[in-house]
Amino acid sequence: MPTVTVLPADIAMETQPGETLLGAAQRLGYTWPTVCGGEGQCRTCYAVIEQGEDALSPVTALEEEASPALAIVARRAGKPVRLACQAVPTGDITVQRSGVRKS
Ligand code: FES
């Protein structure tokens, strides 16, 4: 099972097959910033990919729609950005997302 490390809280989440970053966080009892609850509409759930971009599912149509907003964050971070409610890890990755904490 892929392990997702979430910084800066240094949380390690083991994900299940087909599970998104947001889905794993919620299943494991973590709060992850979201307004739309995982519908791919609010863009609040974005995560900066520190390591393992290739170990994520392909960018979804909803992420394509969000790409102008995500590009601003990515430019600021100097790293790729994905929506946590869309991206499914297929291998170990490390992401940066403030506000992720135990519920
Ligand atoms: S949770 Fe709203 S876009 Fe991901």
Side-chain angles (χ1 to χ4, degrees):
M1 305 271 198
T3 298
V4 178
T5 302
V6 185
L7 304 174
D10 200 23
I11 294 166
M13 307 188 305
E14 195 168 286
T15 63
Q16 296 184 343
E19 192 173 45
T20 65
L21 302 178
L22 179 64
Q26 292 176 333
R27 176 179 55 79
L28 294 167
Y30 293 101
T31 298
W32 190 294
T34 174
V35 173
C36 73
E39 299 296 320
Q41 302 298 319
C42 70
R43 301 159 188 175
T44 309
C45 66
Y46 72 83
V48 174
I49 312 304
E50 295 285 341
Q51 289 180 338
E53 182 184 14
D54 292 344
L56 284 171
S57 57
V59 171
T60 68
L62 288 171
E63 288 178 293
E64 290 288 353
E65 285 178 26
S67 64
L70 297 180
I72 293 170
V73 179
R75 208 168 21 249
R76 214 177 294 144
K79 296 175 180 157
V81 173
R82 297 288 304 271
L83 291 180
C85 69
Q86 302 295 305
V88 175
T90 56
D92 295 348
I93 64 167
T94 301
V95 304
Q96 184 82 231
R97 186 61 171 102
S98 58
V100 178
R101 62 183 184 282
K102 201 71 175 171
S103 299

